[in-house]
Amino acid sequence: MAPVLIRIEDESAFSAPAPVGAPTSEQIAMTRIAGITETPAGNAGIWESTPGRFRRQVAQAEYSYFIEGEGSFTPDDGQTVEFRAGDSIYFPANAQGEWEIRNTVRKAYLILG
């Protein structure tokens, strides 16, 4: 199989901003995506979120690399994980918890499964 390139040429590649599905703060975070690509493992792309708090809505395992921004993720059954640009996080399948985005985040992600 050949390598799969995901390239975002400019901001026009992103979807229109949409509110998160399960907000937990007054400030409703807005998200948008670009470059959604099917891979043999699942799908991949670029995700962006403005500040706010919300529940994670992805049931599958996920690998994320944070390109910009900062925040935290608090799993329902664990300790808060702080992240910033340059960090990566692996979420096991069915990982539930709350995102807190403090500065707009942009991440590259791979959904597994």
Side-chain angles (χ1 to χ4, degrees), residues 34-108:
I36 299 173
T37 304
E38 292 296 319
T39 73
N43 68 64
I46 307 295
W47 177 86
E48 188 176 88
S49 176
T50 61
R53 288 192 320 267
F54 51 94
R55 298 283 303 166
R56 182 170 189 266
Q57 300 286 292
V58 178
Q60 300 93 333
E62 175 184 357
Y63 170 81
S64 295
Y65 172 75
F66 295 89
I67 301 164
E68 296 177 2
E70 68 174 301
S72 64
F73 181 78
T74 304
D76 288 344
D77 59 357
Q79 294 185 353
T80 299
V81 177
E82 298 286 334
F83 63 85
R84 64 177 186 257
D87 290 343
S88 297
I89 298 177
Y90 171 75
F91 297 92
N94 301 310
Q96 297 297 308
E98 183 179 67
W99 288 98
E100 180 179 2
I101 306 301
R102 291 189 291 276
N103 292 319
T104 297
V105 164
R106 184 175 285 187
K107 70 176 185 175

Side-chain angles (χ1 to χ4, degrees), residues 13-38:
F14 281 89
S15 65
V20 294
T24 59
S25 64
E26 282 189 37
Q27 183 174 6
I28 306 297
M30 303 293 285
T31 63
R32 60 189 194 148
I33 52 177
I36 299 173
T37 304
E38 292 296 319

